[in-house]
Amino acid sequence: MQFRRKAFTRSLLAAATIASLLPAANAANFVTRAQDLGTLVAPVTLSYSHSFNDTNLSLAGLQLAELPGSTVLPSDLFYDDYAFQIDGSTFNSLTATIDLGTWFDISNLQVRLYQGNLLTTTTGPAGPALVAAWSAQTLTAQSSGGDVQLIAPINLLPGSYVLEVRGNITGTNGGSYAGVLNLAPVPEPGALGMMLAGFGLLAFLARRRQA
């Protein structure tokens, strides 16, 4: 009996040692959209949006139609890519999400811009192709609890670009965001105008989700 107890103890210690050597589970990156907006001629304003909906509420994590066979956890990052080509103009964008409690929400929403196309998109560093780093400017609408991410006006040279959106889908039923992309031959209005537009977009999203 004592020999069996010692052997069992050694087995437990060996199992614990093996488990400690295994890599910890890491958050995954999922590309959930790759859309080509085509060639854009200024002045133009385009809207973009994505609603992530859980297709099977009985399973843990999110089961998304965009990712058949995969389970998306709150710690996982989604990446949406919007590619476009221009002849040169002033660019800015605004992306907003709303917080509808624990059941429909996106956290850590960010946007960035880099040179490239849908064949060269990346979830990692963009390197010298980077035009605007991951947004750090967040405006919060207290009435809806949503966040607004901005890319300030930038003068772009002719070429191909990718507007990339990322975040964590933390709602138990999913989450959604919407954005506006502006191209103009002259500088866009300042931050105040963008802020007001962002709050208006949040209000529209809230009404649409509650309808």
Side-chain angles (χ1 to χ4, degrees):
M1 180 65 71
Q2 185 176 2
F3 173 76
R4 291 180 178 177
R5 185 179 296 114
K6 288 182 178 179
F8 178 71
T9 302
R10 284 196 296 270
S11 298
L12 286 179
L13 291 174
T17 301
I18 293 173
S20 66
L21 295 175
L22 293 176
N26 293 320
N29 295 334
F30 292 101
V31 177
T32 46
R33 172 163 293 171
Q35 182 176 349
D36 191 347
L37 302 177
T39 300
L40 305 181
V41 180
V44 63
T45 297
L46 291 178
S47 61
Y48 53 92
S49 63
H50 200 164
S51 182
F52 303 93
N53 297 281
D54 193 358
T55 61
N56 192 336
L57 298 176
S58 63
L59 297 178
L62 295 176
Q63 315 300 313
L64 302 178
E66 297 90 334
L67 301 169
S70 299
T71 297
V72 179
L73 302 177
S75 58
D76 297 332
L77 280 171
F78 75 84
Y79 285 78
D80 283 1
D81 297 318
Y82 299 92
F84 60 94
Q85 302 81 47
I86 60 170
D87 291 330
S89 62
T90 296
F91 165 92
N92 66 36
S93 75
L94 176 152
T95 305
T97 183
I98 57 174
D99 180 359
L100 298 181
T102 60
W103 65 277
F104 211 77
D105 188 23
I106 289 178
S107 301
N108 305 314
L109 184 73
Q110 289 184 300
V111 291
R112 71 173 176 177
L113 181 72
Y114 57 89
Q115 293 178 308
N117 53 51
L118 294 182
L119 297 178
T120 61
T121 56
T122 176
T123 59
L130 184 66
V131 176
W134 288 117
S135 55
Q137 183 178 8
T138 302
L139 307 175
T140 301
Q142 298 298 331
S143 58
S144 64
D147 291 332
V148 180
Q149 292 292 320
L150 304 177
I151 292 181
I154 305 173
N155 292 325
L156 297 182
L157 297 174
S160 300
Y161 297 87
V162 175
L163 175 66
E164 194 164 57
V165 183
R166 76 176 180 184
N168 303 99
I169 310 170
T170 52
T172 54
N173 288 12
S176 67
Y177 71 83
V180 177
L181 178 156
N182 295 293
L183 287 174
V186 294
E188 288 290 308
L192 178 59
M194 294 289 286
M195 181 188 303
L196 295 176
F199 290 162
L201 181 58
L202 286 173
F204 168 76
L205 279 173
R207 288 195 299 270
R208 187 177 68 176
R209 291 304 309 172
Q210 293 170 357

